[in-house]
Amino acid sequence: MTEKIKALLQEVEAFKAETHEQLEAFRVKMLSKKGLIPALFQDFKSVEPAMRKEIGQQLNELKNFATDKLNQIREQLEHTTGSIQNQDIPDLSMPADQYPLGARHPLSVTRNRINGIFEKIGFVISEGPEMEDDWHNFSALNFPEEHPARDMQDTFFIGKNPDLALRTHTSSVQVRVMESQKPPIRTISPGRVFRNEAISARAHCIFHQVEGLYIDKGVSFADMRQTLLYFAREMFGEKTQIRLRPSFFPFTEPSAEMDVSCSICGGPGCPVCKYTGWLEIMGCGMVDPNVLENCGIDSKTYSGYAFGMGIERIAMLLFQVKDLRMFFENDLRFLRQFKAAL
Ligand code: DAH
């Protein structure tokens, strides 16, 4: 009897299992009703009384040892493979949770649309620095020395240097392009601009513009008008009309402001167009010969047009946003609404 107990003890001690099946088979073999250990308890009945205490103890030790060992292996297996009985186990074949898609910022969406419309007709994108010198932001663009736009009121100067400021418009990029490239030039320049203005629903000290420039031989005002009509219809719909009103900019002659027919009411008048049926969206004109000459382009051979628009203004019309500050606050409840606007 003692021999049998010892042999089983050794077998239990040496037992290892890698699967629940192996473990269960061993449990049946050792501990189930018809298993080897209960069988020993049956044999125990025929042990002589003098030996009973000792053998009884050995048998109990064997049973406890086997039970502990099996429990211990079961725990390990559950730890490494996960328990089949455990109801909380995730279904590993389930599709993963969807990763929430972000949205592009409405100003990026608008800028990309403007870029795309002009790229389709051969304009290329160019960029310039946000910190500019007086020449590129003002002088080359034909701003007279005493022009009020140079005033501290509008311009953020960098430190005490009167020659270094944050650009007040993207027209500065025109100058850089004309200085470094030969006509024909067809370019649009999107970018951030800065003006020392009080922040309100309609104005901000940081905003965005897109500048356009076309220089070649024989470019006329009619070319500009047709290009801008094409743009307006691509942007606001094919029924859109445009209207050019005489205006003044130092760097264009003649200059105009362009209105589009109101994209909200389509003409009869509404609060957005202040019941006029028209919305002003950009300034434009024929590049002043002085500007061409300032940038090293022969104004007798070449002519061209330029235009500039505020991206916030276009985005407000496109998405019917009433307060420009929304674009800068980056409230997720606002931004998430542009998921579909690629
Ligand atoms: N730079 C002007 C502004 O910031 C916009 C502008 C008007 C740009 C007419 C142009 C233009 O190129 O021809 O208000």
Side-chain angles (χ1 to χ4, degrees):
M1 188 84 180
T2 312
E3 290 305 303
K4 279 190 188 168
I5 294 175
K6 261 197 191 151
L8 284 186
L9 259 178
Q10 274 168 8
E11 193 176 340
V12 172
E13 186 153 22
F15 176 70
K16 288 194 178 77
E18 269 157 26
T19 64
H20 284 281
E21 288 74 27
Q22 289 170 354
L23 179 71
E24 178 60 10
F26 193 70
R27 188 194 66 78
V28 171
K29 179 180 169 190
M30 289 294 169
L31 288 166
S32 67
K33 268 190 189 160
K34 290 183 181 157
L36 295 175
I37 294 174
L40 281 183
F41 276 92
Q42 285 297 322
D43 296 351
F44 179 71
K45 287 176 186 158
S46 51
V47 170
E48 336 157 5
M51 298 293 286
R52 280 204 169 178
K53 192 173 173 208
E54 198 189 327
I55 300 224
Q57 233 170 23
Q58 288 175 0
L59 263 179
N60 277 329
E61 271 169 21
L62 171 65
K63 190 182 168 196
N64 290 341
F65 181 66
T67 312
D68 288 351
K69 171 99 187 202
L70 289 176
N71 283 342
Q72 192 191 331
I73 294 179
R74 182 173 298 118
E75 251 176 47
Q76 274 172 6
L77 282 177
E78 278 171 10
H79 195 66
T80 49
T81 64
S83 162
I84 316 157
Q85 291 99 325
N86 188 346
Q87 295 297 314
D88 292 338
I89 185 173
D91 177 355
L92 297 178
S93 66
M94 257 171 47
D97 283 348
Q98 281 210 337
Y99 196 72
L101 265 188
R104 273 192 215 289
H105 193 282
L107 292 179
S108 302
V109 173
T110 310
R111 182 202 55 210
N112 292 349
R113 284 200 196 168
I114 298 171
N115 288 351
I117 291 169
F118 284 104
E119 278 175 322
K120 268 210 266 185
I121 54 170
F123 282 71
V124 295
I125 293 172
S126 50
E127 287 183 298
E130 292 180 354
M131 230 195 267
E132 268 298 9
D133 50 32
D134 181 272
W135 172 255
H136 291 95
N137 198 75
F138 296 125
S139 295
L141 289 165
N142 208 28
F143 277 82
E145 275 302 328
E146 70 287 1
H147 195 283
R150 292 179 175 219
D151 202 311
M152 285 292 277
Q153 294 290 309
D154 292 317
T155 310
F156 287 114
F157 288 93
I158 310 286
K160 296 211 169 71
N161 187 348
D163 193 37
L164 203 54
L166 295 175
R167 67 180 176 195
T168 58
H169 53 182
T170 43
S171 302
S172 56
V173 187
Q174 275 190 33
V175 179
R176 291 188 175 270
V177 171
M178 285 192 278
E179 281 175 341
S180 62
Q181 292 174 30
K182 291 205 171 357
I185 293 170
R186 279 183 223 97
T187 188
I188 50 165
S189 321
R192 196 167 6 198
V193 301
F194 309 85
R195 282 186 206 175
N196 197 354
E197 279 181 43
I199 296 171
S200 72
R202 297 174 60 87
H204 206 287
C205 55
I206 300 175
F207 56 103
H208 300 80
Q209 289 186 333
V210 174
E211 185 78 12
L213 178 71
Y214 191 134
I215 310 283
D216 203 348
K217 288 179 184 155
V219 177
S220 69
F221 197 87
D223 295 326
M224 180 185 83
R225 190 185 184 286
Q226 201 57 29
T227 305
L228 296 182
L229 178 63
Y230 154 79
F231 165 74
R233 293 194 166 160
E234 289 284 309
M235 196 74 205
F236 297 108
E238 56 189 55
K239 294 209 174 77
T240 308
Q241 301 291 331
I242 63 166
R243 175 170 93 166
L244 293 167
R245 283 179 290 107
S247 184
F248 173 79
F249 299 102
F251 37 91
T252 44
E253 184 57 39
S255 304
E257 301 272 3
M258 185 176 103
D259 300 341
V260 291
S261 51
C262 179
S263 53
I264 313 289
C265 67
C270 69
V272 177
C273 61
K274 301 207 193 78
Y275 302 96
T276 64
W278 295 96
L279 301 160
E280 182 187 318
I281 63 160
M282 69 169 94
C284 56
M286 301 305 290
V287 180
D288 193 301
N290 287 342
V291 176
L292 294 176
E293 295 294 338
N294 285 341
C295 301
I297 290 176
D298 179 6
S299 62
K300 300 215 169 51
T301 314
Y302 293 103
S303 59
Y305 60 78
F307 53 89
M309 65 189 114
I311 299 182
E312 281 79 0
R313 169 90 176 137
I314 307 278
M316 284 169 90
L317 294 173
L318 209 56
F319 300 120
Q320 302 194 25
V321 175
K322 292 209 174 69
D323 191 326
L324 178 144
R325 288 170 288 200
M326 301 263 232
F327 294 127
F328 302 97
E329 280 160 7
N330 287 329
D331 184 328
L332 285 177
R333 291 168 301 177
F334 174 69
L335 296 180
R336 283 197 183 117
Q337 296 177 49
F338 297 92
K339 277 190 183 170
L342 289 170

